[in-house]
């Protein structure tokens, strides 16, 4: 369990990457159709899923850019 910035406990569930978009859509629908204050646990789970998705995208971008980068050549003479 990890504490969010608002100090509410957030359970982090690992969702396979091909399904993370569907999971986020489902959580959005749950929050949108919630009555009163019962949306907060779902909103916390949604925030965690969005952070996980952003982290995955960031890692994919870094990996992609690293593959395209020219190899480093040391121009100094020893």
């Amino acid at each position: 369990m990890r504490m969010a910035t608002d100090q509410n406990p957030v359970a982090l569930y690992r969702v396979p990457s091909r399904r993370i978009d569907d999971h986020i859509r489902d959580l959005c629908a749950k929050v949108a159709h919630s009555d009163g204050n019962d949306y907060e646990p779902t909103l916390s789970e949604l925030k965690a899923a969005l952070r996980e998705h952003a982290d995955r995208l960031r890692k994919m971008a870094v990996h992609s850019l690293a593959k395209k980068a020219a190899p480093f050549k040391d121009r100094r003479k020893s």
Side-chain angles (χ1 to χ4, degrees):
M1 192 165 292
R2 181 174 140 189
M3 297 300 277
T5 56
D6 60 357
Q7 298 302 314
N8 290 330
V10 176
L12 296 179
Y13 301 101
R14 295 289 172 206
V15 178
S17 61
R18 68 183 189 277
R19 293 184 41 221
I20 191 82
D21 292 341
D22 293 334
H23 185 62
I24 290 170
R25 279 190 207 98
D26 291 343
L27 291 171
C28 287
K30 279 185 184 179
V31 170
H33 293 101
S34 296
D35 294 330
N37 291 332
D38 63 341
Y39 66 90
E40 289 187 26
T42 306
L43 187 61
S44 294
E45 189 178 348
L46 175 60
K47 288 178 184 179
L50 289 169
R51 277 192 297 273
E52 181 179 345
H53 185 59
D55 288 342
R56 288 180 184 184
L57 290 175
R58 193 175 296 113
K59 287 176 186 176
M60 285 175 30
V62 166
H63 181 70
S64 177
L65 291 172
K67 283 174 48 175
K68 291 180 182 179
F72 177 75
K73 289 174 120 180
D74 190 4
R75 296 185 299 166
R76 293 180 290 171
K77 294 181 181 179
S78 36

